[in-house]
Amino acid sequence: VGCIESTQLRLRVDAEYRFWIANAFTPNGDCLNDVFKPTLMGVKEYDFKIYDRWGRIVFQTENTEVSWDGTIEESNQLPPTTVFAYRIHLLDVHGNYHTFYGHVTLYRNG
């Protein structure tokens, strides 16, 4: 009667690294999947490039908050439905480098 129990535990929470990226997006202004960029956590350095089918860079950024809206940098135009390649090179919070290669389909309706 009247007993109180307590305990203490010290936790160490390490920084976490996560990477996820879609394989398609629809830049049509409906606010659903209008931009393309990876979802990242625990990234210290970042280099993101998107290439057209001829290997020309159509988008690039080193800012993890910047996304691609599908516009081709040189012409400022949206292309029709097509596939682009990407390369992402990054350094995680644990000091490990990662490089991801893949493709994304830009889907245009109409």
Side-chain angles (χ1 to χ4, degrees):
V1 187
C3 293
I4 297 176
E5 227 177 280
S6 68
T7 186
Q8 284 187 330
L9 179 64
R10 178 172 274 169
L11 293 176
R12 187 177 113 198
V13 179
D14 289 332
E16 189 173 1
Y17 160 71
R18 298 278 180 191
F19 175 89
W20 179 86
I21 194 161
N23 62 3
F25 74 118
T26 57
N28 58 9
D30 67 357
C31 296
L32 298 171
N33 298 315
D34 280 338
V35 294
F36 177 67
K37 76 173 190 136
T39 299
L40 302 166
M41 179 188 299
V43 171
K44 294 171 74 172
E45 294 177 15
Y46 174 76
D47 182 40
F48 180 26
K49 291 184 171 93
I50 298 176
Y51 304 86
D52 66 14
R53 64 182 174 185
W54 296 280
R56 292 182 296 220
I57 296 172
V58 297
F59 174 81
Q60 60 185 341
T61 186
E62 292 179 357
N63 183 338
T64 59
E65 299 301 315
V66 174
S67 55
W68 184 44
D69 64 1
T71 304
I72 305 300
E73 284 184 342
E74 342 174 306
S75 66
N76 209 27
Q77 294 179 348
L78 281 172
T81 296
T82 192
V83 176
F84 293 88
Y86 65 81
R87 183 198 57 90
I88 299 169
H89 188 70
L90 57 87
L91 173 65
D92 70 28
V93 291
H94 305 291
N96 300 312
Y97 285 96
H98 306 268
T99 302
F100 299 94
Y101 298 95
H103 63 275
V104 59
T105 302
L106 181 152
Y107 180 73
R108 301 275 294 161
N109 210 356

PDB file of all heavy atoms in Angstrom, residues 39-67:
ATOM      1  N   THR A  39      12.835  11.129 -51.534  1.00  0.00           N
ATOM      2  CA  THR A  39      12.584  11.406 -50.130  1.00  0.00           C
ATOM      3  C   THR A  39      13.844  10.967 -49.390  1.00  0.00           C
ATOM      4  O   THR A  39      14.262   9.813 -49.523  1.00  0.00           O
ATOM      5  CB  THR A  39      11.357  10.616 -49.633  1.00  0.00           C
ATOM      6  OG1 THR A  39      10.225  11.021 -50.398  1.00  0.00           O
ATOM      7  CG2 THR A  39      11.100  10.871 -48.165  1.00  0.00           C
ATOM      8  N   LEU A  40      14.441  11.882 -48.666  1.00  0.00           N
ATOM      9  CA  LEU A  40      15.740  11.641 -48.045  1.00  0.00           C
ATOM     10  C   LEU A  40      15.701  11.928 -46.551  1.00  0.00           C
ATOM     11  O   LEU A  40      14.953  12.796 -46.097  1.00  0.00           O
ATOM     12  CB  LEU A  40      16.792  12.564 -48.656  1.00  0.00           C
ATOM     13  CG  LEU A  40      16.999  12.478 -50.156  1.00  0.00           C
ATOM     14  CD1 LEU A  40      17.797  13.673 -50.642  1.00  0.00           C
ATOM     15  CD2 LEU A  40      17.703  11.193 -50.509  1.00  0.00           C
ATOM     16  N   MET A  41      16.540  11.222 -45.834  1.00  0.00           N
ATOM     17  CA  MET A  41      16.750  11.491 -44.416  1.00  0.00           C
ATOM     18  C   MET A  41      18.214  11.181 -44.123  1.00  0.00           C
ATOM     19  O   MET A  41      18.751  10.182 -44.603  1.00  0.00           O
ATOM     20  CB  MET A  41      15.859  10.581 -43.561  1.00  0.00           C
ATOM     21  CG  MET A  41      16.037  10.777 -42.069  1.00  0.00           C
ATOM     22  SD  MET A  41      15.167   9.545 -41.069  1.00  0.00           S
ATOM     23  CE  MET A  41      13.491   9.812 -41.542  1.00  0.00           C
ATOM     24  N   GLY A  42      18.867  12.049 -43.380  1.00  0.00           N
ATOM     25  CA  GLY A  42      20.246  11.796 -42.971  1.00  0.00           C
ATOM     26  C   GLY A  42      21.256  11.933 -44.087  1.00  0.00           C
ATOM     27  O   GLY A  42      22.200  11.155 -44.177  1.00  0.00           O
ATOM     28  N   VAL A  43      21.077  12.948 -44.934  1.00  0.00           N
ATOM     29  CA  VAL A  43      21.988  13.174 -46.056  1.00  0.00           C
ATOM     30  C   VAL A  43      22.784  14.451 -45.813  1.00  0.00           C
ATOM     31  O   VAL A  43      22.222  15.494 -45.499  1.00  0.00           O
ATOM     32  CB  VAL A  43      21.210  13.266 -47.382  1.00  0.00           C
ATOM     33  CG1 VAL A  43      22.102  13.707 -48.519  1.00  0.00           C
ATOM     34  CG2 VAL A  43      20.566  11.923 -47.693  1.00  0.00           C
ATOM     35  N   LYS A  44      24.110  14.356 -45.947  1.00  0.00           N
ATOM     36  CA  LYS A  44      24.990  15.504 -45.725  1.00  0.00           C
ATOM     37  C   LYS A  44      25.374  16.203 -47.027  1.00  0.00           C
ATOM     38  O   LYS A  44      25.479  17.415 -47.066  1.00  0.00           O
ATOM     39  CB  LYS A  44      26.250  15.055 -44.994  1.00  0.00           C
ATOM     40  CG  LYS A  44      25.979  14.575 -43.574  1.00  0.00           C
ATOM     41  CD  LYS A  44      27.189  13.929 -42.946  1.00  0.00           C
ATOM     42  CE  LYS A  44      28.219  14.959 -42.566  1.00  0.00           C
ATOM     43  NZ  LYS A  44      29.328  14.379 -41.786  1.00  0.00           N
ATOM     44  N   GLU A  45      25.644  15.429 -48.070  1.00  0.00           N
ATOM     45  CA  GLU A  45      25.992  15.981 -49.384  1.00  0.00           C
ATOM     46  C   GLU A  45      25.114  15.301 -50.414  1.00  0.00           C
ATOM     47  O   GLU A  45      24.753  14.130 -50.253  1.00  0.00           O
ATOM     48  CB  GLU A  45      27.465  15.725 -49.725  1.00  0.00           C
ATOM     49  CG  GLU A  45      28.428  16.450 -48.838  1.00  0.00           C
ATOM     50  CD  GLU A  45      29.878  16.106 -49.157  1.00  0.00           C
ATOM     51  OE1 GLU A  45      30.147  15.535 -50.237  1.00  0.00           O
ATOM     52  OE2 GLU A  45      30.739  16.393 -48.310  1.00  0.00           O
ATOM     53  N   TYR A  46      24.824  16.021 -51.515  1.00  0.00           N
ATOM     54  CA  TYR A  46      23.816  15.536 -52.460  1.00  0.00           C
ATOM     55  C   TYR A  46      24.077  16.120 -53.839  1.00  0.00           C
ATOM     56  O   TYR A  46      24.342  17.322 -53.966  1.00  0.00           O
ATOM     57  CB  TYR A  46      22.468  15.988 -51.912  1.00  0.00           C
ATOM     58  CG  TYR A  46      21.246  15.752 -52.735  1.00  0.00           C
ATOM     59  CD1 TYR A  46      20.675  14.491 -52.845  1.00  0.00           C
ATOM     60  CD2 TYR A  46      20.595  16.808 -53.351  1.00  0.00           C
ATOM     61  CE1 TYR A  46      19.508  14.286 -53.547  1.00  0.00           C
ATOM     62  CE2 TYR A  46      19.422  16.621 -54.054  1.00  0.00           C
ATOM     63  CZ  TYR A  46      18.880  15.353 -54.146  1.00  0.00           C
ATOM     64  OH  TYR A  46      17.721  15.153 -54.839  1.00  0.00           O
ATOM     65  N   ASP A  47      24.014  15.286 -54.866  1.00  0.00           N
ATOM     66  CA  ASP A  47      24.130  15.730 -56.254  1.00  0.00           C
ATOM     67  C   ASP A  47      23.126  14.929 -57.073  1.00  0.00           C
ATOM     68  O   ASP A  47      23.237  13.700 -57.168  1.00  0.00           O
ATOM     69  CB  ASP A  47      25.553  15.503 -56.767  1.00  0.00           C
ATOM     70  CG  ASP A  47      25.739  15.999 -58.185  1.00  0.00           C
ATOM     71  OD1 ASP A  47      25.202  17.076 -58.525  1.00  0.00           O
ATOM     72  OD2 ASP A  47      26.390  15.286 -58.971  1.00  0.00           O
ATOM     73  N   PHE A  48      22.128  15.605 -57.638  1.00  0.00           N
ATOM     74  CA  PHE A  48      21.011  14.978 -58.345  1.00  0.00           C
ATOM     75  C   PHE A  48      20.982  15.504 -59.774  1.00  0.00           C
ATOM     76  O   PHE A  48      20.896  16.710 -59.989  1.00  0.00           O
ATOM     77  CB  PHE A  48      19.726  15.338 -57.601  1.00  0.00           C
ATOM     78  CG  PHE A  48      18.443  14.791 -58.162  1.00  0.00           C
ATOM     79  CD1 PHE A  48      18.391  13.642 -58.917  1.00  0.00           C
ATOM     80  CD2 PHE A  48      17.247  15.452 -57.895  1.00  0.00           C
ATOM     81  CE1 PHE A  48      17.191  13.148 -59.397  1.00  0.00           C
ATOM     82  CE2 PHE A  48      16.045  14.974 -58.365  1.00  0.00           C
ATOM     83  CZ  PHE A  48      16.010  13.820 -59.120  1.00  0.00           C
ATOM     84  N   LYS A  49      21.089  14.587 -60.743  1.00  0.00           N
ATOM     85  CA  LYS A  49      21.059  14.961 -62.156  1.00  0.00           C
ATOM     86  C   LYS A  49      20.036  14.098 -62.891  1.00  0.00           C
ATOM     87  O   LYS A  49      19.911  12.905 -62.626  1.00  0.00           O
ATOM     88  CB  LYS A  49      22.432  14.774 -62.795  1.00  0.00           C
ATOM     89  CG  LYS A  49      23.469  15.757 -62.311  1.00  0.00           C
ATOM     90  CD  LYS A  49      24.785  15.592 -63.060  1.00  0.00           C
ATOM     91  CE  LYS A  49      25.724  16.701 -62.719  1.00  0.00           C
ATOM     92  NZ  LYS A  49      26.630  16.433 -61.652  1.00  0.00           N
ATOM     93  N   ILE A  50      19.325  14.730 -63.837  1.00  0.00           N
ATOM     94  CA  ILE A  50      18.368  14.024 -64.695  1.00  0.00           C
ATOM     95  C   ILE A  50      18.810  14.230 -66.135  1.00  0.00           C
ATOM     96  O   ILE A  50      19.167  15.350 -66.535  1.00  0.00           O
ATOM     97  CB  ILE A  50      16.941  14.547 -64.465  1.00  0.00           C
ATOM     98  CG1 ILE A  50      16.529  14.275 -63.019  1.00  0.00           C
ATOM     99  CG2 ILE A  50      15.965  13.891 -65.442  1.00  0.00           C
ATOM    100  CD1 ILE A  50      15.179  14.814 -62.628  1.00  0.00           C
ATOM    101  N   TYR A  51      18.760  13.136 -66.914  1.00  0.00           N
ATOM    102  CA  TYR A  51      19.249  13.135 -68.289  1.00  0.00           C
ATOM    103  C   TYR A  51      18.135  12.759 -69.256  1.00  0.00           C
ATOM    104  O   TYR A  51      17.295  11.902 -68.948  1.00  0.00           O
ATOM    105  CB  TYR A  51      20.376  12.101 -68.456  1.00  0.00           C
ATOM    106  CG  TYR A  51      21.530  12.288 -67.515  1.00  0.00           C
ATOM    107  CD1 TYR A  51      21.504  11.742 -66.237  1.00  0.00           C
ATOM    108  CD2 TYR A  51      22.649  13.012 -67.899  1.00  0.00           C
ATOM    109  CE1 TYR A  51      22.570  11.898 -65.359  1.00  0.00           C
ATOM    110  CE2 TYR A  51      23.727  13.177 -67.038  1.00  0.00           C
ATOM    111  CZ  TYR A  51      23.673  12.622 -65.764  1.00  0.00           C
ATOM    112  OH  TYR A  51      24.716  12.786 -64.905  1.00  0.00           O
ATOM    113  N   ASP A  52      18.168  13.350 -70.461  1.00  0.00           N
ATOM    114  CA  ASP A  52      17.238  12.921 -71.496  1.00  0.00           C
ATOM    115  C   ASP A  52      17.795  11.676 -72.188  1.00  0.00           C
ATOM    116  O   ASP A  52      18.861  11.174 -71.821  1.00  0.00           O
ATOM    117  CB  ASP A  52      16.939  14.053 -72.487  1.00  0.00           C
ATOM    118  CG  ASP A  52      18.137  14.488 -73.329  1.00  0.00           C
ATOM    119  OD1 ASP A  52      19.173  13.772 -73.368  1.00  0.00           O
ATOM    120  OD2 ASP A  52      18.051  15.555 -73.962  1.00  0.00           O
ATOM    121  N   ARG A  53      17.106  11.193 -73.190  1.00  0.00           N
ATOM    122  CA  ARG A  53      17.532   9.931 -73.826  1.00  0.00           C
ATOM    123  C   ARG A  53      18.819  10.056 -74.627  1.00  0.00           C
ATOM    124  O   ARG A  53      19.404   9.056 -75.032  1.00  0.00           O
ATOM    125  CB  ARG A  53      16.405   9.359 -74.685  1.00  0.00           C
ATOM    126  CG  ARG A  53      16.039  10.227 -75.850  1.00  0.00           C
ATOM    127  CD  ARG A  53      14.893   9.610 -76.594  1.00  0.00           C
ATOM    128  NE  ARG A  53      14.431  10.495 -77.636  1.00  0.00           N
ATOM    129  CZ  ARG A  53      13.396  10.258 -78.384  1.00  0.00           C
ATOM    130  NH1 ARG A  53      12.711   9.154 -78.206  1.00  0.00           N
ATOM    131  NH2 ARG A  53      13.034  11.101 -79.312  1.00  0.00           N
ATOM    132  N   TRP A  54      19.279  11.277 -74.852  1.00  0.00           N
ATOM    133  CA  TRP A  54      20.543  11.490 -75.558  1.00  0.00           C
ATOM    134  C   TRP A  54      21.684  11.743 -74.579  1.00  0.00           C
ATOM    135  O   TRP A  54      22.798  12.041 -74.985  1.00  0.00           O
ATOM    136  CB  TRP A  54      20.418  12.663 -76.531  1.00  0.00           C
ATOM    137  CG  TRP A  54      19.430  12.376 -77.620  1.00  0.00           C
ATOM    138  CD1 TRP A  54      19.635  11.626 -78.751  1.00  0.00           C
ATOM    139  CD2 TRP A  54      18.073  12.776 -77.646  1.00  0.00           C
ATOM    140  NE1 TRP A  54      18.485  11.548 -79.478  1.00  0.00           N
ATOM    141  CE2 TRP A  54      17.491  12.258 -78.824  1.00  0.00           C
ATOM    142  CE3 TRP A  54      17.266  13.527 -76.795  1.00  0.00           C
ATOM    143  CZ2 TRP A  54      16.176  12.456 -79.166  1.00  0.00           C
ATOM    144  CZ3 TRP A  54      15.947  13.736 -77.140  1.00  0.00           C
ATOM    145  CH2 TRP A  54      15.417  13.200 -78.309  1.00  0.00           C
ATOM    146  N   GLY A  55      21.402  11.663 -73.288  1.00  0.00           N
ATOM    147  CA  GLY A  55      22.437  11.846 -72.282  1.00  0.00           C
ATOM    148  C   GLY A  55      22.688  13.277 -71.866  1.00  0.00           C
ATOM    149  O   GLY A  55      23.622  13.552 -71.123  1.00  0.00           O
ATOM    150  N   ARG A  56      21.861  14.196 -72.331  1.00  0.00           N
ATOM    151  CA  ARG A  56      22.013  15.601 -71.946  1.00  0.00           C
ATOM    152  C   ARG A  56      21.362  15.830 -70.583  1.00  0.00           C
ATOM    153  O   ARG A  56      20.273  15.317 -70.318  1.00  0.00           O
ATOM    154  CB  ARG A  56      21.365  16.525 -72.977  1.00  0.00           C
ATOM    155  CG  ARG A  56      22.090  16.527 -74.306  1.00  0.00           C
ATOM    156  CD  ARG A  56      21.449  17.492 -75.260  1.00  0.00           C
ATOM    157  NE  ARG A  56      20.082  17.024 -75.541  1.00  0.00           N
ATOM    158  CZ  ARG A  56      19.500  17.069 -76.723  1.00  0.00           C
ATOM    159  NH1 ARG A  56      20.144  17.577 -77.747  1.00  0.00           N
ATOM    160  NH2 ARG A  56      18.278  16.622 -76.896  1.00  0.00           N
ATOM    161  N   ILE A  57      22.011  16.626 -69.757  1.00  0.00           N
ATOM    162  CA  ILE A  57      21.444  16.969 -68.453  1.00  0.00           C
ATOM    163  C   ILE A  57      20.300  17.953 -68.666  1.00  0.00           C
ATOM    164  O   ILE A  57      20.484  19.008 -69.276  1.00  0.00           O
ATOM    165  CB  ILE A  57      22.510  17.587 -67.522  1.00  0.00           C
ATOM    166  CG1 ILE A  57      23.603  16.564 -67.220  1.00  0.00           C
ATOM    167  CG2 ILE A  57      21.871  18.083 -66.229  1.00  0.00           C
ATOM    168  CD1 ILE A  57      24.789  17.122 -66.469  1.00  0.00           C
ATOM    169  N   VAL A  58      19.107  17.578 -68.172  1.00  0.00           N
ATOM    170  CA  VAL A  58      17.940  18.455 -68.295  1.00  0.00           C
ATOM    171  C   VAL A  58      17.584  19.106 -66.959  1.00  0.00           C
ATOM    172  O   VAL A  58      16.801  20.053 -66.901  1.00  0.00           O
ATOM    173  CB  VAL A  58      16.717  17.715 -68.871  1.00  0.00           C
ATOM    174  CG1 VAL A  58      17.005  17.232 -70.292  1.00  0.00           C
ATOM    175  CG2 VAL A  58      16.299  16.561 -67.977  1.00  0.00           C
ATOM    176  N   PHE A  59      18.164  18.585 -65.870  1.00  0.00           N
ATOM    177  CA  PHE A  59      17.924  19.150 -64.538  1.00  0.00           C
ATOM    178  C   PHE A  59      19.067  18.712 -63.630  1.00  0.00           C
ATOM    179  O   PHE A  59      19.548  17.582 -63.736  1.00  0.00           O
ATOM    180  CB  PHE A  59      16.599  18.636 -63.966  1.00  0.00           C
ATOM    181  CG  PHE A  59      16.355  19.053 -62.545  1.00  0.00           C
ATOM    182  CD1 PHE A  59      15.858  20.316 -62.257  1.00  0.00           C
ATOM    183  CD2 PHE A  59      16.637  18.195 -61.496  1.00  0.00           C
ATOM    184  CE1 PHE A  59      15.636  20.705 -60.937  1.00  0.00           C
ATOM    185  CE2 PHE A  59      16.421  18.569 -60.176  1.00  0.00           C
ATOM    186  CZ  PHE A  59      15.913  19.825 -59.902  1.00  0.00           C
ATOM    187  N   GLN A  60      19.471  19.614 -62.724  1.00  0.00           N
ATOM    188  CA  GLN A  60      20.473  19.246 -61.733  1.00  0.00           C
ATOM    189  C   GLN A  60      20.346  20.151 -60.517  1.00  0.00           C
ATOM    190  O   GLN A  60      19.939  21.308 -60.633  1.00  0.00           O
ATOM    191  CB  GLN A  60      21.882  19.313 -62.296  1.00  0.00           C
ATOM    192  CG  GLN A  60      22.327  20.657 -62.799  1.00  0.00           C
ATOM    193  CD  GLN A  60      23.688  20.572 -63.441  1.00  0.00           C
ATOM    194  OE1 GLN A  60      24.449  19.634 -63.221  1.00  0.00           O
ATOM    195  NE2 GLN A  60      24.029  21.560 -64.245  1.00  0.00           N
ATOM    196  N   THR A  61      20.651  19.589 -59.348  1.00  0.00           N
ATOM    197  CA  THR A  61      20.628  20.360 -58.113  1.00  0.00           C
ATOM    198  C   THR A  61      21.505  19.680 -57.067  1.00  0.00           C
ATOM    199  O   THR A  61      21.733  18.474 -57.136  1.00  0.00           O
ATOM    200  CB  THR A  61      19.189  20.526 -57.563  1.00  0.00           C
ATOM    201  OG1 THR A  61      19.218  21.404 -56.424  1.00  0.00           O
ATOM    202  CG2 THR A  61      18.577  19.195 -57.156  1.00  0.00           C
ATOM    203  N   GLU A  62      21.982  20.471 -56.134  1.00  0.00           N
ATOM    204  CA  GLU A  62      22.695  19.968 -54.961  1.00  0.00           C
ATOM    205  C   GLU A  62      21.901  20.262 -53.694  1.00  0.00           C
ATOM    206  O   GLU A  62      22.364  20.009 -52.596  1.00  0.00           O
ATOM    207  CB  GLU A  62      24.088  20.592 -54.884  1.00  0.00           C
ATOM    208  CG  GLU A  62      24.990  20.133 -56.006  1.00  0.00           C
ATOM    209  CD  GLU A  62      26.377  20.750 -55.961  1.00  0.00           C
ATOM    210  OE1 GLU A  62      26.637  21.604 -55.075  1.00  0.00           O
ATOM    211  OE2 GLU A  62      27.209  20.386 -56.801  1.00  0.00           O
ATOM    212  N   ASN A  63      20.677  20.785 -53.859  1.00  0.00           N
ATOM    213  CA  ASN A  63      19.801  21.144 -52.752  1.00  0.00           C
ATOM    214  C   ASN A  63      18.747  20.048 -52.578  1.00  0.00           C
ATOM    215  O   ASN A  63      17.936  19.823 -53.474  1.00  0.00           O
ATOM    216  CB  ASN A  63      19.139  22.490 -53.041  1.00  0.00           C
ATOM    217  CG  ASN A  63      18.272  22.986 -51.917  1.00  0.00           C
ATOM    218  OD1 ASN A  63      17.801  22.223 -51.071  1.00  0.00           O
ATOM    219  ND2 ASN A  63      18.037  24.284 -51.905  1.00  0.00           N
ATOM    220  N   THR A  64      18.727  19.387 -51.430  1.00  0.00           N
ATOM    221  CA  THR A  64      17.792  18.280 -51.196  1.00  0.00           C
ATOM    222  C   THR A  64      16.336  18.728 -51.171  1.00  0.00           C
ATOM    223  O   THR A  64      15.438  17.899 -51.268  1.00  0.00           O
ATOM    224  CB  THR A  64      18.100  17.555 -49.872  1.00  0.00           C
ATOM    225  OG1 THR A  64      18.010  18.500 -48.798  1.00  0.00           O
ATOM    226  CG2 THR A  64      19.472  16.916 -49.900  1.00  0.00           C
ATOM    227  N   GLU A  65      16.085  20.021 -51.064  1.00  0.00           N
ATOM    228  CA  GLU A  65      14.712  20.530 -51.017  1.00  0.00           C
ATOM    229  C   GLU A  65      14.170  20.892 -52.403  1.00  0.00           C
ATOM    230  O   GLU A  65      12.986  21.165 -52.547  1.00  0.00           O
ATOM    231  CB  GLU A  65      14.636  21.763 -50.108  1.00  0.00           C
ATOM    232  CG  GLU A  65      15.038  21.475 -48.675  1.00  0.00           C
ATOM    233  CD  GLU A  65      14.179  20.401 -48.034  1.00  0.00           C
ATOM    234  OE1 GLU A  65      12.952  20.456 -48.183  1.00  0.00           O
ATOM    235  OE2 GLU A  65      14.747  19.491 -47.391  1.00  0.00           O
ATOM    236  N   VAL A  66      15.027  20.901 -53.405  1.00  0.00           N
ATOM    237  CA  VAL A  66      14.612  21.293 -54.761  1.00  0.00           C
ATOM    238  C   VAL A  66      14.149  20.069 -55.528  1.00  0.00           C
ATOM    239  O   VAL A  66      14.817  19.043 -55.554  1.00  0.00           O
ATOM    240  CB  VAL A  66      15.777  21.995 -55.510  1.00  0.00           C
ATOM    241  CG1 VAL A  66      15.410  22.265 -56.954  1.00  0.00           C
ATOM    242  CG2 VAL A  66      16.143  23.281 -54.791  1.00  0.00           C
ATOM    243  N   SER A  67      12.988  20.189 -56.168  1.00  0.00           N
ATOM    244  CA  SER A  67      12.434  19.090 -56.957  1.00  0.00           C
ATOM    245  C   SER A  67      12.353  19.487 -58.425  1.00  0.00           C
ATOM    246  O   SER A  67      12.408  20.672 -58.772  1.00  0.00           O
ATOM    247  CB  SER A  67      11.052  18.718 -56.423  1.00  0.00           C
ATOM    248  OG  SER A  67      10.213  19.858 -56.407  1.00  0.00           O
TER     249      SER A  67
END
